Structure formats: C-alpha cells, structure tokens
Amino acid sequence: MNIQDLLLKDAMIMDLQATTKEAAVDEMVARYKDIGVITDDALYRKDILAREAQSSTGIGEGIAMPHAKDSAVQRATVLFAKSQNGVEYDALDGQPVYLFFMIAAPEGANDTHLQALAGLSSLLINPQLVADLKQAQTPENVQTLFAKAQAAKDAEDAKEEAEEAAKAQAAAATPADDQKPFIVAVTACPTGIAHTYMAEAALKETAAKMGIDIKVETNGSEGVKHQLTADDINRATGVIIAADKKVDMPRFDGKHLLNRPVIDGIKKPAELIQKTLDEEGSIYHATESQSSEEASADKKTLWSRIYQDLMNGVSNMLPFVVGGGILMAISFLLEQTVGAHSTTFIFLNSLGNNAFNFLIPVLAAYIAISIGDRPALMPGFVGGYMASQATASVLASKSPAGFLGGLAAGFIAGWVIVGLKKVFKNLPQTLDGLKPILIFPVLGLLIVGFIMYFMINPVFAQINLWLSTFLTHLGAGNALLLGAILGGMMSVDMGGPFNKAAYTFAIGVFTTTKDGSLMAAVMAGGMVPPLAIAVAATIFKNKFTGSERKQAFANYVLGISFITEGAIPFAASDPLHVIVSSVIGSAIGGGLTQLWQITVPAPHGGIFVAPLANHGLLFVLAVLIGTFVSALILGLWRPVAKEA
C-alpha cells in the first residue's frame, strides 16, 4: 500500500468551513462517516479528542495531523483538508492551521498500513511540499504532489542507505580522530503514527545540514525500526531521546543523554543536536534504574511521578473491580429470586469474589513495577496480598491493612528495588546475572515482607478498622457532606487527579466494606457533566454552535454510561461556565445519594447498573436532579454563541 492508496479523493475537503478546533474535527469526522471509512463517528471522534488531550497534533507551520486507531475504522485512510482562512487549533507554535491530515487506522492495522502512514508523516517535513499543498485546488492536484514527493523521497532513501553503508565501511577503516561527529536518537509518540516519524525526519535533515552523522531509531506502531546497535551507541558522542512514552533505556548506560518530548524533535532538532555534541545531557546510569523521565534535567515533579505510579496501579486494577463487582452485584440481584443456595448465585458470587481477591495484590504490583520495573513485580504482588489478609502480627487485628495497605505495599516494593539497584550497582560484571534471578527477588521479598508484617499491616489494619467503623456510624449530615464533596470532585477535572482521587477513595471503601454508598455518590457525580451539557445544548440552542450541539448529543450516551470524559472538549473551550456548573450539579447529585441512603454495588456502568442499586429509581432521580440543576446554570449563564 502506498500513499496514493491512503489519500482518497472522496475523503478530501478542499475548502474546510470550520473556524474552531472542535468544529474542524467534527467536519472531518463527518466526511469519514459519509464515505464509509468509519462506522462509529462518536467512538472515532472520542479517540481523536483523547489524543488531542495528550498534546496538540497541530505541529506548527500551519499543519495538524489528528489521528486515531480504533475499531470504528474500516480501512487505513488519510483525509486531506485545506482551510482558506486558517483554524485556531491550539497549534504548538500558536499559529492558525491551514492543512489537515486526519489519519484513520484500523485497530488491527498491519505493518503495510503503518509503514505507509509513517511515510506520509515523513513527507510533510518538506517545506516545498507544504507550500505547494497550500496552493492546491483539486484532489487530483494533491495526489499528484504527493506522488512526486514520494518518488523523490524513495530515490533519496535509496541513496541514503547506500551512503550509510559506505560510511559504516569507511568509519571502520578511519582513525577516530578523523571521523565526523556521530550521535544517535530515539523517537516515539503514544500512538506511534505521526510525530514519531516527523521527529525522525527533522533530526536527520537538520543533522545533514550541520554536517553531523546521525542514526535515528523509531519506536512506532509498526515496531522498532532502524534499531540502534551496541556499536552505534558506543561510537556516539551522545544520545537524544525525543519521546512521549517509555523506551528501552538501560542500553544507554554511561552516555550523555538528552530526554525531551517528541515535539522537540520536530521543532528544535538543531538545538538538540548541538547540545548533544556539547555533551550537555546528563550521564545516564542504568544501574540506578533511572526511568526515561529522570534521565534529563527536565524531571517530573514529585506529585506527578506519584500520580503516574498510582494510576498505573489503579488502571490495571480496574478490570478486576468492574468485572468482579458487577458479577457480584448481579448475583445479589438473582439471590432474591433463585435463593442463596442455587448454583447460579453461588457461581456468580464466587466468581466475583475471586476477582476481588486480586484487587489489592494487582494494585500494589503495578504501582511497584511503575517505580522499580519488572524486578519490583513479585515483592509488590506479595506485599499487596499480605495487605489483603487479616494475619496475626505485632498488633493483632481481625482487619486486614486493606486498600491503604496495598497502596503502601506498592510504593514500598518499588522503592526497595530502586534502593537495591543502587546498592548493587558496582557488583562485578561476572555476578551481574545474579541480580534479577537471586538478589532482587530474595532480598526484595524479605525487606518488603518484613516492613509489611511488622510495620504496615499492624498500623494500617487499625486505620482500616477505624475507617470502616467511622463510615458505619457516619451521621446523615456528615454522609450528605461527604457524598457532595466526592460528587463535586468528579467534575473538577473530569478524569484528572481530583476525579481519580475521589473514584479511588470510593473503590477503597467499596473493597474494604462491600458498602456501595460512596460508589453511588461518585457515579452520580461523574454522570452529571456530560448529561448536563447534552441537556443544556438541547434546551438552550442559541448558547451553542451547530457543531457543538451535534457533539453534545453524543453526551447523552456517554453520560448515562458514566463516561465523564465526554464533557472534556466543552470544559476545555469554556472552563469557567462548564466546570463551575458541573461541580454544583455533581455535588447535588452525590449528596442526594447519601441523603436517600442509596448504595450501588458495582463500580461502573452508570444507568445500566441502576437496577442493582438498593433504590434504583432514587439513584436515577439523584442523577436527573443534579443534571438539570447543572444544565440550567450552564444554559442561563453561558453567553450566546457566535455561530447560532
């Protein structure tokens, strides 16, 4: 498959009408749906916006490359769109976008598709092609321009491969003092479709102009290409990592290394190359288990690192929570009709409980692996298991350390392994092989087990017991306040740290007490924002543009499914009105669930698990009241839209 097969004429929009980012996405997604490239425009649009939330695909120079790979896509396609007046797209250079390349890749796209997509990305680094595309008038013009550019690039690539082979032979026979400067780089982006290859092209082109030899490894969706060899790394003056995801780092031990976002590889290649030549990057030490994020001076804040580690545990734990929780809830519902001794009840209930038995061990294990990599998995898992069991220890307690103890176990196991790596970093090379198979497993388990048995379990068991007792005896007024706070937190950042903190707290209480009252609060709070936006756009049509109303309609489905993220595009474009109104409505919804003593014995599902609640109709009513309060505030407060 070549570029011509991807650039369908029917998909092209030669006069894009949109003036805003959201409207541009809507217009292009609608074209994809019209010509049958995608079957589910809501899913594809959601994934496009999720990628935009990570970082803008408006890469500068008037170009944007929104892209997504999901099950809605029927065939790999690139939609070319051209705007005459430009679109404010939050581009990285702050300038309007005139050329759009919306990339759609099927979920099971093979290497042929991805190689073609990578080729397209690398072509757009050519300023002459970009200038010509801005003047193109017909789809045929666009295809012709790309065909010529592809032919020229193929010839250049063939020449480059021959030159690289010749350089390698010459380097082997040339004294080191006479060789040209040589550096290596790795590029990678979360989806591995566009930015990965544009950064590669920019670095190679700039290096050629500077008279520098460079080899760039790409970590894209098609796998690792142009993989750096041990000889490449040893020969290089330094290393550039232009990546937004984790790459293989230990091989760079002892090298000067710069770690930057992938967009810097596209926008600042000369700066990265010069700093690497000047050896300004810090020396990377793999034996100290530095993560790729820590390998440069641009380190993450302590809180962001903790949050990343915590979310790694929570995200891997959630399937166990959702699967086990919903099956248990269904078993309780069936118990009322088939009885507690029926095979159906026993099967579903035991299956749900079996899944729940893994919650805390999995949470701890994946927090640990986020910190200390693979060697931390086993001690983290065992530490989490210890936290889930009520065992005799220094302070005898019938209560396990529970969710809080599991959190502690994960962080302790991760940092114990980091510490052991530092302690044994100078071990003779002949004994290096003992670390992963003997030293880390034995000492890691011994230290984590000791801390859990003698310190964490006794203390957190008492905390867990106190928390359970406190929640059991919580007065109506305090329960209402707690429900309102948790519900409101679900809307503060709609999927961010506040949202996740509230949800994680409710899961912790749920796994400890099997009481779903706080799950009802956070679920109601999370359902309100998208539903409120949908209702407001339906009632107050003049307060939303046409594209916003179309987009808001999908929030009916997202809202009832407890997918708060459907509100993010609206909150991003109008944070004051959307977030404030959403927090008020969510707090009311969360508070009402506690006032009416509603419990939802399932951690996810929205309206679809309402029948499992003890007061299903009251739960729906709490969500509706919160939704309409929020929708009225938003609709009355928001100014009239410029495009009615």
Side-chain angles (χ1 to χ4, degrees), residues 466-474 482 505 509 513 515 518:
W466 173 85
L467 179 61
S468 299
T469 304
F470 169 75
L471 292 170
T472 302
H473 297 90
L474 196 63
L482 181 59
F505 177 75
V509 173
T513 66
D515 180 354
L518 296 185

Side-chain angles (χ1 to χ4, degrees), residues 235-311:
R235 216 162 44 89
T237 302
V239 181
I240 298 171
I241 303 294
D244 291 335
K245 68 177 183 179
K246 193 172 184 179
V247 298
D248 180 17
M249 298 295 292
R251 54 189 168 152
F252 302 123
D253 186 35
K255 303 298 292 188
H256 286 277
L257 187 148
L258 282 177
N259 184 1
R260 298 292 180 82
V262 68
I263 194 63
D264 281 4
I266 300 172
K267 303 300 295 179
K268 304 176 181 178
E271 175 187 321
L272 297 184
I273 292 171
Q274 190 59 55
K275 287 189 174 184
T276 301
L277 292 175
D278 296 339
E279 298 186 341
E280 292 187 21
S282 58
I283 296 178
Y284 177 75
H285 296 292
T287 54
E288 296 180 6
S289 187
Q290 283 179 300
S291 68
S292 59
E293 292 87 0
E294 296 173 313
S296 74
D298 303 327
K299 296 181 180 179
K300 292 185 175 180
T301 65
L302 177 62
W303 164 246
S304 64
R305 180 62 196 271
I306 291 173
Y307 178 72
Q308 173 189 304
D309 299 333
L310 175 62
M311 285 304 103

Side-chain angles (χ1 to χ4, degrees), residues 484-638:
I485 291 172
L486 291 175
M489 287 176 66
M490 294 296 290
S491 291
V492 170
D493 50 7
M494 302 175 187
F498 282 96
N499 175 286
K500 289 296 188 293
Y503 188 61
T504 302
F505 177 75
I507 288 177
V509 173
F510 184 45
T511 56
T512 299
T513 66
K514 300 298 187 292
D515 180 354
S517 59
L518 296 185
M519 289 307 311
V522 298
M523 196 176 296
M527 293 169 69
V528 165
L531 285 173
I533 290 168
V535 171
T538 301
I539 298 174
F540 302 95
K541 294 184 178 180
N542 64 325
K543 302 296 183 74
F544 295 82
T545 65
S547 61
E548 285 177 333
R549 290 196 296 273
K550 292 179 183 177
Q551 179 183 344
F553 187 78
N555 276 351
Y556 280 114
V557 177
L558 297 175
I560 64 173
S561 304
F562 184 34
I563 301 176
T564 316
E565 287 79 0
I568 289 177
F570 294 88
S573 61
D574 186 10
L576 177 63
H577 301 103
V578 172
I579 293 177
V580 172
S581 60
S582 294
V583 168
I584 294 172
S586 293
I588 291 173
L592 287 175
T593 64
Q594 303 309 291
L595 177 65
W596 294 332
Q597 299 180 350
I598 301 169
T599 65
V600 177
H604 216 288
I607 199 70
F608 303 106
V609 296
L612 306 178
N614 61 337
H615 303 299
L617 292 178
L618 286 178
F619 174 74
V620 174
L621 182 60
V623 173
L624 289 176
I625 292 174
T627 295
F628 278 98
V629 169
S630 180
L632 286 173
I633 294 173
L634 178 61
L636 294 172
W637 186 19
R638 200 179 201 217

Side-chain angles (χ1 to χ4, degrees), residues 113 115 135 150 236 282 463 592:
H113 291 95
Q115 288 168 6
Q135 302 302 318
Q150 184 64 58
S282 58
I463 293 174
L592 287 175

Side-chain angles (χ1 to χ4, degrees), residues 342-535:
S342 72
T343 302
T344 303
F345 168 76
I346 293 172
F347 168 68
L348 290 174
N349 189 262
S350 60
L351 190 59
N353 271 296
N354 287 336
F356 256 51
N357 288 336
F358 287 96
L359 297 187
I360 297 174
V362 168
L363 170 73
Y366 281 92
I367 290 175
I369 203 173
S370 178
I371 299 169
D373 291 326
R374 190 178 297 274
L377 177 65
M378 185 274 293
F381 203 102
V382 175
Y385 178 77
M386 292 176 69
S388 69
Q389 304 299 306
T391 55
S393 57
V394 178
L395 294 175
S397 173
K398 295 181 180 180
S399 174
F403 192 80
L404 296 177
L407 290 175
F411 283 101
I412 290 168
W415 286 108
V416 162
I417 294 300
V418 170
L420 288 175
K421 288 181 177 181
K422 290 183 178 180
V423 170
F424 291 99
K425 67 180 179 179
N426 295 320
L427 201 67
Q429 191 171 2
T430 54
L431 301 177
D432 234 22
L434 292 177
K435 290 192 287 188
I437 65 172
L438 180 64
I439 295 174
F440 295 155
V442 174
L443 290 182
L445 180 58
L446 181 63
I447 295 171
V448 171
F450 180 89
I451 294 173
M452 292 299 297
Y453 188 84
F454 290 102
M455 302 176 192
I456 298 300
N457 275 6
V459 174
F460 279 88
Q462 295 301 315
I463 293 174
N464 204 34
L465 183 61
W466 173 85
L467 179 61
S468 299
T469 304
F470 169 75
L471 292 170
T472 302
H473 297 90
L474 196 63
N478 290 331
L480 190 153
L481 178 61
L482 181 59
I485 291 172
L486 291 175
M489 287 176 66
M490 294 296 290
S491 291
V492 170
D493 50 7
M494 302 175 187
F498 282 96
N499 175 286
K500 289 296 188 293
Y503 188 61
T504 302
F505 177 75
I507 288 177
V509 173
F510 184 45
T511 56
T512 299
T513 66
K514 300 298 187 292
D515 180 354
S517 59
L518 296 185
M519 289 307 311
V522 298
M523 196 176 296
M527 293 169 69
V528 165
L531 285 173
I533 290 168
V535 171

